Amino acid sequence: MSRRTLLWWGVSLLVLATALGAVVVFVYPQSPGFDRWWNEMIAAARADWMLDFALALNWIGGGWVAILGVPLLAILALVLARRWRRAVFAAVSFLASAGAVQLLKTLFGRARPDDMLVVSDYGSFPSGHTANAATIALVLWVLFPRVWVAIVGALWVLAMALSRTFLSVHWATDTLGGALVGAGVVLVLAAWLLPWVQRKKHALDAPIG
């Protein structure tokens, strides 16, 4: 994939996420009908296994585990594998994604569902847990572009998104926005940094794809 294509997709996803946030906050201040329907449907169908699953992902995908634990483990693994450029790319991606999420949360200040089952921070849009999952998935896919990596990453993002609605801590559109932000940030950074990441010692830049 060329740098131009990566940049186009990344910017498009970020613009789409911002537009989605503007629509659900300013056009539908009481949340769109789909969000309310999904929240009510999940609440009615919620089972114990869903809660156990969601609570586990709530711990894995948030707090110090997501902010420090998972990123540091990924970066440390790349450093130990002597892939320090990839480690830098991963670190920048995690930081930029977290910053973008907090920026949009502050910008939109969307209220969370009233019936949420866990305590969470300010701002419902976008979902930070889902954005973090998408960031991890896209970083791994960019660095290791394999079909199975893409499939596992997509399933991880979907699982995290569903878990946030199982707990009624996010509207469904929040999770979509989080996925768009996480993926968009990584693709934009890949367009900028990937040639440097792939550069071989004493050689010209390696091709992106």
Side-chain angles (χ1 to χ4, degrees):
M1 190 179 293
S2 68
R3 295 180 69 182
R4 180 175 297 179
T5 301
L6 288 169
L7 181 62
W8 187 91
W9 275 106
V11 171
S12 296
L13 294 181
L14 291 175
V15 170
L16 185 58
T18 305
L20 177 62
V23 169
V24 298
V25 171
F26 302 124
V27 179
Y28 297 97
Q30 301 303 317
S31 293
F34 171 76
D35 273 343
R36 288 183 275 110
W37 168 80
W38 180 264
N39 189 51
E40 292 170 2
M41 187 270 292
I42 286 296
R46 191 182 287 134
D48 289 342
W49 71 265
M50 291 182 180
L51 289 178
D52 292 339
F53 166 79
L55 289 171
L57 290 192
N58 180 65
W59 182 77
I60 295 171
W64 69 268
V65 177
I67 296 173
L68 292 175
V70 174
L72 287 178
L73 282 176
I75 293 167
L76 179 61
L78 291 170
V79 170
L80 292 177
R82 298 183 180 180
R83 297 291 187 270
W84 69 271
R85 291 176 191 257
R86 297 186 180 196
V88 170
F89 171 72
V92 172
S93 296
F94 292 133
L95 289 172
S97 177
V101 166
Q102 292 306 313
L103 176 63
L104 292 180
K105 281 180 178 289
T106 302
L107 176 65
F108 294 121
R110 189 185 192 187
R112 295 180 183 273
D114 293 332
D115 55 342
M116 61 182 187
L117 301 182
V118 294
V119 177
S120 198
D121 61 358
Y122 172 80
S124 189
F125 185 94
S127 165
H129 281 67
T130 311
N132 186 60
T135 301
I136 294 171
L138 264 292
V139 165
L140 291 176
W141 178 76
V142 165
L143 296 180
F144 309 100
R146 303 289 186 272
V147 173
W148 71 268
V149 174
I151 293 173
V152 172
L155 291 175
W156 172 243
V157 175
L158 179 60
M160 186 62 73
L162 288 174
S163 76
R164 305 313 286 159
T165 61
F166 287 169
L167 294 173
S168 294
V169 74
H170 278 292
W171 304 102
T173 48
D174 297 336
T175 64
L176 175 58
L180 293 173
V181 171
V185 166
V186 175
L187 292 177
V188 168
L189 290 174
W192 173 40
L193 292 174
L194 199 53
W196 173 78
V197 172
Q198 294 179 331
R199 185 178 301 162
K200 298 178 180 179
K201 190 175 181 180
H202 306 307
L204 297 176
D205 288 353
I208 293 179

